[in-house]
Structures are given as structure tokens and as C-alpha cells.
Amino acid sequence: MKKGKVRKVAVPALFIFTALVLIAYTFSGCGLLSNTIKNVKGELIGNHFNIEFYDNFGNNILNIEGTKVGLEANYVNTKSVDSDGVESKNYELSSVITMTVDGNQVAQTGNTIIFAEDGLKKLEDFELPDDIATSGGTINIFDRNINEIKNILGTPKVVIVCSQLGVPVAVYGGKQVYWEIPNDLPKTTKLNIDGLALYIHRANYILLDNNMIK
């Protein structure tokens, strides 16, 4: 009798991936399963970013350059007990965020971070006046709608970024400045300044129309 050839059965890639995930969860312990509930992830839109970290006193403590940058907010599961002794689970936003920079991981909390797309320059000689006097306008509700439309189109603005204790760390400006608060980026404001992206994380900041400081 001729011996038949043994056929090699290819293991599906999905099976291998699933097995690796199960192994990772097994060795990670119960802490990961009980504490990490969900994440809010967002990708920074831009070609190349200069990432600057500032402490509460405005000191530049770290600089990183990267092309593919993402932010991830971490939520944890906490337990509480009401007056009747009934236990319930709640979601809380952790103060720790996880950054992915060109495939590398950076975890941080508390610091002010500026993500400036390559080519975006700071205003080095800018001085904010102590007092600003304005006049004009019509009806507030009408002016608010006009300002929303102007923001979509982009208007001349100055962006003053401060640490969380109010220490100025950087000033930007442009002829067409648009800003929004993204849902998928934790504690972050997104701006577009003359076609270049600027993201501000955990910072005090002021956005002023240029005509207010001329």
C-alpha cells in the first residue's frame, strides 16, 4: 500500500490572533479586566508634529517629534454603595492619557501638551495688553451666530497658551484660525491656523480676534 502524503493544514491567522489575545489577558491578571472599561481614541490630523510638554510652572520638560500621533483617554470601573447597601458600578475618566507616537507609547498625566504641525511658528515678540477696550456689535444672539460662521471660515486670531497655573508658554497667530473641541480627544482643543494643525491638551488658553488688540 502506498503511503499517502501528509497534507499540511494552515492555521488561520484569526485563530493565532485570538490565541495570542487570550494568552495576553491570562497573564495580565484580573486588574486589567476589572479596571479598564473603555477608551476614547482619537488620531491627530496632520503631517508631522512637534510635541512640547510643559509642567504647571511653564517649564518645557520634554520635546518629541512624530508623524503618526494618537491620544487615548482611559476610563476605569469604580464601585459605589448607596444608603440601602446596594452596590453599583460607575465609569470614571482617569487622569492618565496614553499617547501613541509612530508606534511608540507614552503615558502621562497633568502636564500641558502642545502638538504643533511642522511649519507652524510661534509669535516670539507678542505682548498682551493689560486692558482691552472694545465697541460695536449689534444684538448678542445675532453676533454669536455671525461669530460661529466666521469661525467655520476662519478669522484672524491670536492664540495664547498657558500652563494649568496660568503661566504663558506659547503664542500663535494667523489670518485664518478655526477651533473646535473634538469628542474623541480627551481634554483637548483642536485649532487650524492658516492650514496647519495645532492641538492643545490640558492647558489654559485665550483666543482673541485680532481687531481686539490692534
Side-chain angles (χ1 to χ4, degrees):
M1 180 182 292
K2 293 183 179 180
K3 294 182 178 180
K5 294 182 179 180
V6 178
R7 297 180 59 187
K8 294 182 178 179
V9 180
V11 180
L14 180 60
F15 175 80
I16 297 175
F17 175 78
T18 304
L20 291 175
V21 170
L22 291 175
I23 293 172
Y25 272 112
T26 300
F27 285 97
S28 64
C30 297
L32 178 63
L33 295 176
S34 61
N35 290 332
T36 304
I37 299 303
K38 60 181 180 177
N39 296 317
V40 175
K41 300 179 182 179
E43 304 299 326
L44 274 60
I45 306 302
N47 293 322
H48 183 275
F49 287 96
N50 299 303
I51 309 170
E52 300 177 351
F53 294 74
Y54 295 88
D55 65 16
N56 286 340
F57 301 99
N59 300 308
N60 182 203
I61 58 176
L62 178 65
N63 297 304
I64 301 175
E65 292 186 17
T67 301
K68 297 182 290 295
V69 182
L71 282 182
E72 180 178 341
N74 302 293
Y75 287 79
V76 294
N77 180 359
T78 61
K79 297 180 180 180
S80 62
V81 180
D82 61 18
S83 58
D84 296 326
V86 178
E87 186 179 274
S88 62
K89 293 183 179 181
N90 304 294
Y91 298 112
E92 288 187 3
L93 180 64
S94 170
S95 59
V96 179
I97 66 162
T98 305
M99 299 169 51
T100 304
V101 182
D102 294 334
N104 302 295
Q105 188 181 75
V106 180
Q108 85 94 41
T109 180
N111 296 301
T112 293
I113 311 176
I114 299 175
F115 304 83
E117 188 173 0
D118 195 27
L120 191 58
K121 304 297 183 182
K122 298 177 184 177
L123 302 180
E124 300 294 344
D125 299 325
F126 177 82
E127 291 187 10
L128 181 66
D130 295 331
D131 300 297
I132 296 176
T134 62
S135 61
T138 56
I139 302 174
N140 280 338
I141 188 171
F142 178 75
D143 289 339
R144 280 197 296 268
N145 292 330
I146 292 296
N147 285 332
E148 289 178 1
I149 296 173
K150 288 167 63 178
N151 180 58
I152 294 173
L153 299 175
T155 57
K157 288 184 183 293
V158 170
V159 183
I160 304 163
V161 185
C162 304
S163 71
Q164 293 193 82
L165 289 181
V167 180
V169 296
V171 179
Y172 298 89
K175 295 180 180 179
Q176 288 186 310
V177 180
Y178 163 84
W179 69 278
E180 66 176 12
I181 302 175
N183 292 327
D184 59 349
L185 297 175
K187 299 183 183 297
T188 301
T189 301
K190 174 186 178 181
L191 299 98
N192 187 289
I193 301 177
D194 296 337
L196 297 173
L198 177 70
Y199 294 83
I200 305 171
H201 173 76
R202 281 189 177 272
N204 295 333
Y205 62 84
I206 303 172
L207 306 180
L208 289 175
D209 285 342
N210 278 7
N211 58 17
M212 296 181 65
I213 53 178
K214 287 183 177 179

